[in-house]
Amino acid sequence: MASPSSPEHDSTSSTDDQRPAPATAWGPASGVGSLPGTDPAEAVRLVVGELPDLAHLPELPARGPGADMLGRSAALLVDVYVDLTPAGWRLVPRPGRDLQRAVEFLARDLDALHDVAADWTGPFKVQATGPWTLAAGLERTRGDRAVTDAGARRDIAQSLAEGLRAHVAEVAARLPGAEVIVQFDEPSLPAVLMGGLPTQSGFGKLAAVEAQVVQEELAGFLAALGSRTVVHCCAPRAPLGLLRASGADAVSFDHGLVQDLDAVGTAVDAGTHLFLGVVPGTGTGLPAPKATATRLQAWWNELGFPAEDLHRSVTLTPACGLAGATPAYARGALAHVREAAKYLLPD
């Protein structure tokens, strides 16, 4: 695997012939996942209204434990159980009340999806915590992180893949006209690779996991799903080269944090779609959509790709989830990425 900073991409020699066209459209704009509020039907109405080409199943962590990123994804696990402790979510031998609450939240979301959007056609996105971030966030019975144990990582990844296949089938049954895309959130991945996760005591750091191990395990996980996949990492130093080499169909990142143009160019050359986070997840104001589009056009030109390829190669999103935003800002952020994407279309 070439490193993200390798010179294998020559931005001055890129042509349409070098990059395979995507098999199907991704949609010009979408959301990352989470929204403020606690009403799943209202949240679904918001995303299908503001994101008519690539809506997603909203996540509402304000509902409490079980609706948070880890608890929600734990509800997808098959024959692997968790419970909530004062220190966070922990692997346990049998399911309990906390896991049941997470399962019920997800069931309500699916009911709301059917009630509001049963006639949806085209791509539709669901989100889950990725296997590395999930293993980094779950504790084993003795209190250490599951990510430190290869067997625990394997069990979590296999269980999550099985649960997600079932989840995709449930969403598809409620939206018969949809193609379900799966997004994996991996905010902990840079810390896993760089040895930045704290130990149980909090006084030390866990050892870094070799990039080759991370790539191989993630590649096996993605290959087991049978759906188009997006891997989202809005943390600094998102490992775009590794995610591309793992087989992700698209990579999602905070546009303002990624400075390695070689890694971005190599991904585009390989036909990997880009989900660009172009506005913050929280705030009080937004720029004009045309200003955002102009900034992206200048960046694309710096990469050296034809201007007419930009709208086909990117999907615009907020930089991260919107759970911490006000309802007005969240609605404005989704409208912003939709409108900014229109300015990327060729004249």
Side-chain angles (χ1 to χ4, degrees), residues 152-298:
R153 292 198 311 262
R154 181 187 63 246
D155 291 345
I156 289 170
Q158 291 176 349
S159 175
L160 181 61
E162 183 177 351
L164 272 166
R165 289 194 296 269
H167 181 54
V168 167
E170 290 180 340
V171 172
R174 288 162 174 81
L175 307 182
E179 181 213 355
V180 184
I181 297 168
V182 183
Q183 173 186 305
F184 300 100
D185 298 322
E186 286 284 12
S188 296
L189 197 52
V192 169
L193 290 163
M194 294 184 291
L197 292 173
T199 59
Q200 182 183 8
S201 68
F203 294 112
K205 302 289 186 183
L206 296 179
V209 181
E210 292 183 7
Q212 189 65 30
V213 172
V214 173
Q215 180 186 317
E216 289 175 356
E217 294 187 16
L218 185 58
F221 173 78
L222 295 176
L225 291 171
S227 301
R228 279 202 291 170
T229 56
V230 184
V231 182
H232 170 72
C233 181
C234 59
R237 301 185 181 180
L240 300 184
L242 184 151
L243 299 180
R244 173 191 58 78
S246 298
D249 297 300
V251 292
S252 171
F253 54 91
D254 183 338
H255 178 259
L257 293 180
V258 173
Q259 304 299 321
D260 188 348
L261 297 187
D262 280 339
V264 175
T266 300
V268 176
D269 275 337
T272 305
H273 193 73
L274 307 181
F275 278 61
L276 300 181
V278 295
V279 292
T282 59
T284 56
L286 293 162
K290 187 174 183 179
T292 294
T294 299
R295 173 165 56 91
L296 294 177
Q297 287 163 339

Side-chain angles (χ1 to χ4, degrees), residues 303-329:
L303 285 169
F305 294 117
E308 60 270 19
D309 287 356
L310 175 56
H311 74 287
R312 292 192 294 266
S313 302
V314 304
T315 294
L316 304 191
T317 71
C320 53
L322 297 168
T326 65
Y329 181 88

Side-chain angles (χ1 to χ4, degrees), residues 56-82:
H56 60 89
L57 184 62
E59 303 162 14
L60 302 173
R63 291 181 292 185
D68 59 294
M69 184 174 74
L70 293 178
R72 183 177 179 84
S73 294
L76 298 169
L77 297 175
V78 176
D79 296 331
V80 173
Y81 310 115
V82 300

